[in-house]
Amino acid sequence: MLIADPLLPAAVHLTGDGAPDVLRPAVHASGGRLVDCHTSQVQYRPASDLVVRYRCRIERNGSTTDDTVLAGTTTNGIPTGTLPVEAVSPSGEHLRVGVWRWPFDPVLSALETMVTPHLAVQHLAGLVGGRPSLEVVAYRPTERAVVRATGDGRSIYLKVVAPAAVDGLVTRHQTLAAAGLPVPRVEAAGTGWIAMGALEGTTLRDRLKAGRSEHPPAHAYRELIDTMSTVDLGGLPPVRSRLDDAPHHAAILAAVEPSLRTRLDDLIGRLRASAPAPTLATAHGDLHESQLVVDDERIIGLLDIDDAGPGDPLDDAGTLLAHLRFRALTADDPSIDAVADGIRSSMCRRFAPADLDHRVAGVLIGLATGPFRLQHEAWRRTTDAVVELAERHLEAAT
């Protein structure tokens, strides 16, 4: 894996064999010695920014520990609040990256507090009892993190975001809840974090992974999108369309797997040429099976509404179907395809079938970046298969 981006000259060093040389000075400055490191996740936006997460072994005071170290570079300089590492390349190019160690995220200022029990407890009094047990559920560097806090038999979820995002996130939860949507209740909020009540039930993703056939009927998903589209979130930023995201994701894939460039260029050209006219309403922005808490008959929870706002409900329908198709392909599970078939049939009562297939194709291009970002061993083969799936859906649409 090697990213060569002329606008991010440090990228080739962060993703290549030179990564230890980048991290070593930062580790040394913190009083340690880098024993070894391995890439565990890549977050890349071509011609914009790159964050790489590494699993490291670091020796300090005669003992060796496992640490997570991250390094980032952007076209506007290094992320504010990180330790700068500078070098001059053999060609004379000036390189500068920012390095930080988990959990000292330069944007998520509350992260250290919310993953450290003796620091978190002062904010969680009255929400969970005693000193809470903390489990990191998700972390996207510089963007957001989710932490489960459990104490005295009760759990809550802490969402850690940039401090400026808290008010909008609280507004989304309160407005959607008032409209009858099953979003988690906000129980407390502070600088850079909100606490939400845990929802009973399991996600649709977990049920599908477990091979369970009990889940809500297909029309429940369409009705959820219908209900959300009627809520007024006009004061919040618009939801970025999946079609606008597709060229960005295609650029990532072409950068890391140049053999796909011609096919991706063709896909993007055809997507643009045949895009359906957008419908403006309220959309979730990232609706998929992991965001839906269900029981045997109903959708009882809607998660991760961070980006909900004015958008196109077709994006939500296409995103849900694309994730199901992606999961059926990567898990080699035709039963998930059967679930997707049923949901698609119901969605066709609101959306034109060709428009659905068109949007699914666009979302699949984004999902094709996942195996690379997570550094799966066979990511090239999986990526090719997902791109082929996108091609089939676009062919069906056109």
Side-chain angles (χ1 to χ4, degrees):
M1 176 209 65
L2 192 68
I3 293 177
D5 188 324
L7 294 182
L8 296 170
V12 69
H13 301 279
L14 292 179
T15 57
D17 294 337
D21 295 330
V22 177
L23 302 182
R24 194 171 285 113
V27 173
H28 179 75
S30 68
R33 182 181 71 85
L34 183 66
V35 178
D36 59 44
C37 69
H38 302 280
T39 302
S40 60
Q41 188 174 33
V42 178
Q43 192 171 298
Y44 173 50
R45 289 182 285 200
S48 175
D49 56 79
L50 170 73
V51 175
V52 185
R53 192 189 317 188
Y54 306 93
R55 294 188 304 271
C56 298
R57 287 197 303 150
I58 297 175
E59 181 185 316
R60 290 188 181 91
N61 301 321
S63 62
T64 301
T65 60
D66 294 325
D67 267 331
T68 296
V69 179
L70 302 99
T73 182
T74 81
T75 52
N76 297 317
I78 66 173
T80 302
T82 60
L83 179 66
V85 175
E86 301 183 10
V88 178
S89 71
S91 62
E93 198 167 28
H94 185 75
L95 306 175
R96 198 164 187 257
V97 303
V99 181
W100 68 97
R101 183 165 61 92
W102 165 270
F104 308 103
D105 190 286
V107 175
L108 308 181
S109 56
L111 184 59
E112 178 194 4
T113 296
M114 291 307 173
V115 299
T116 308
H118 76 271
L119 298 176
V121 67
Q122 59 187 309
H123 299 285
L124 304 182
L127 300 177
V128 294
R131 176 171 290 191
S133 169
L134 303 175
E135 177 189 358
V136 178
V137 177
Y139 173 51
R140 188 168 179 83
T142 73
E143 294 186 11
R144 65 187 60 142
V146 179
V147 181
R148 182 189 295 114
T150 304
D152 290 346
R154 181 174 189 254
S155 292
I156 61 169
Y157 285 85
L158 305 167
K159 178 156 284 187
V160 183
V161 295
V166 170
D167 288 346
L169 187 53
V170 171
T171 296
R172 288 178 175 90
H173 277 268
Q174 292 175 340
T175 304
L176 293 173
L181 286 154
V183 297
R185 184 167 66 91
V186 176
E187 301 198 0
T191 303
W193 62 275
I194 72 169
M196 301 171 292
L199 298 173
E200 298 295 331
T202 55
T203 65
L204 178 61
R205 176 182 184 272
D206 288 340
R207 290 196 171 216
L208 294 175
K209 282 185 65 176
R212 296 178 60 181
S213 59
E214 308 91 352
H215 42 74
H219 64 80
Y221 305 96
R222 172 176 50 82
E223 291 168 357
L224 179 77
I225 293 174
D226 287 342
T227 300
M228 174 166 275
S229 70
T230 66
V231 181
D232 183 7
L233 288 177
L236 293 171
V239 177
R240 183 175 172 85
S241 172
R242 292 305 189 188
L243 290 184
D244 293 335
D245 286 338
H248 153 72
H249 293 304
I252 295 174
L253 294 173
V256 301
E257 188 54 64
S259 65
L260 293 174
R261 185 179 300 277
T262 299
R263 291 166 62 191
L264 291 165
D265 287 346
D266 178 64
L267 269 171
I268 295 302
R270 292 165 63 198
L271 279 171
R272 286 171 167 161
S274 58
T279 299
L280 186 63
T282 293
H284 180 281
D286 191 26
L287 187 67
H288 55 77
E289 73 279 10
S290 294
Q291 315 288 37
L292 299 168
V293 180
V294 302
D295 62 17
D296 291 356
E297 300 176 351
R298 300 170 301 137
I299 299 172
I300 58 177
L302 177 64
L303 306 177
D304 287 349
I305 57 171
D306 304 42
D307 300 319
D312 189 347
L314 177 60
D315 273 323
D316 286 346
T319 299
L320 176 59
L321 288 171
H323 274 262
L324 292 173
R325 298 299 189 194
F326 175 83
R327 187 163 300 283
L329 173 70
T330 55
D332 192 22
D333 187 347
S335 70
I336 301 177
D337 263 328
V339 173
D341 289 341
I343 293 175
R344 182 183 183 279
S345 294
S346 180
M347 292 293 183
C348 286
R349 295 181 59 181
R350 172 166 182 179
F351 305 104
D355 291 350
L356 276 172
D357 286 328
H358 184 278
R359 198 59 49 96
V360 169
V363 177
L364 282 169
I365 295 174
L367 293 178
T369 67
F372 162 75
R373 286 188 291 102
L374 298 176
Q375 290 294 282
H376 289 172
E377 184 176 354
W379 68 265
R380 285 184 170 85
R381 183 168 64 250
T382 304
T383 298
D384 184 84
V386 179
V387 170
E388 182 181 347
L389 183 61
E391 290 168 331
R392 294 204 303 268
H393 276 275
L394 188 55
E395 186 64 31
T398 55

